[in-house]
């Protein structure tokens, strides 16, 4: 039996970018909710306000966004849970802001617990 060597087909840069953006496409709907949040990186703490939130993450309006891929802790309260939600996260994108929009950063949650998912879903429905 002959061994045949398969040569992979070439993929254009635009196709590769499209496939990458599909991979990172958000799967959870966003909800426009204004919450005060505390962002903690090491010993530094910063209070900011959310623009929107989902089960996958949150957009935080701040004049001092953190660099991409910064790992952090975020803490906030919602009315459907008595104790604050504290979860790890990573900065996934930064927006510079504009005339009618404050700058900020998109943070992907890492490690939401089941009870927090339940409380967030109730919060989104309310």
């Amino acid at each position: 039996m002959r061994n045949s060597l398969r040569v992979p087909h070439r993929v254009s840069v635009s196709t590769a970018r499209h496939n990458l953006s599909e991979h990172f496409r958000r799967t959870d709907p966003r909800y426009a909710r204004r919450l005060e949040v505390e962002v903690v990186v090491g010993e530094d703490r910063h209070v900011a306000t959310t623009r929107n939130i989902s089960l996958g993450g949150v957009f935080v309006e701040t004049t001092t966004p953190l660099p991409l891929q910064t790992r952090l802790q975020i803490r906030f309260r919602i009315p459907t849970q008595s104790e604050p939600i504290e979860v790890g996260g990573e900065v996934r994108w930064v927006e510079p802001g504009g005339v009618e929009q404050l700058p900020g950063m998109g943070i992907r949650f890492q490690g939401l617990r089941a009870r927090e998912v339940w409380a967030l879903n109730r919060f989104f429905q309310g």
Side-chain angles (χ1 to χ4, degrees):
M1 182 170 208
R2 270 173 80 184
N3 287 337
S4 69
L5 179 62
R6 277 186 96 182
V7 177
H9 66 282
R10 294 180 187 252
V11 177
S12 72
V13 172
S14 63
T15 300
R17 283 187 186 138
H18 174 73
N19 290 341
L20 187 60
S21 68
E22 286 294 314
H23 174 73
F24 288 109
R25 178 168 286 182
R26 93 179 28 88
T27 58
D28 300 303
R30 291 185 286 178
Y31 298 89
R33 301 287 194 274
R34 309 282 297 171
L35 300 169
E36 184 177 281
V37 296
E38 181 181 33
V39 177
V40 181
V41 180
E43 298 296 317
D44 295 332
R45 297 179 185 282
H46 178 75
V47 176
T49 303
T50 63
R51 180 183 304 163
N52 59 57
I53 186 169
S54 75
L55 291 178
V58 63
F59 187 87
V60 176
E61 293 179 337
T62 176
T63 56
T64 55
L66 298 166
L68 291 174
Q69 299 180 337
T70 300
R71 294 187 184 273
L72 51 83
Q73 288 292 116
I74 187 165
R75 182 180 304 127
F76 57 95
R77 290 186 170 276
I78 57 175
T80 54
Q81 181 167 301
S82 58
E83 61 273 351
I85 293 175
E86 185 170 344
V87 63
E90 180 181 353
V91 177
R92 300 299 294 179
W93 74 95
V94 174
E95 285 187 9
V99 176
E100 295 183 21
Q101 189 165 302
L102 292 173
M105 58 188 165
I107 299 169
R108 178 184 285 168
F109 293 145
Q110 297 175 334
L112 274 180
R113 294 176 291 203
R115 69 179 178 191
E116 294 163 343
V117 170
W118 180 84
L120 281 166
N121 276 321
R122 289 201 48 209
F123 175 60
F124 298 151
Q125 294 168 2

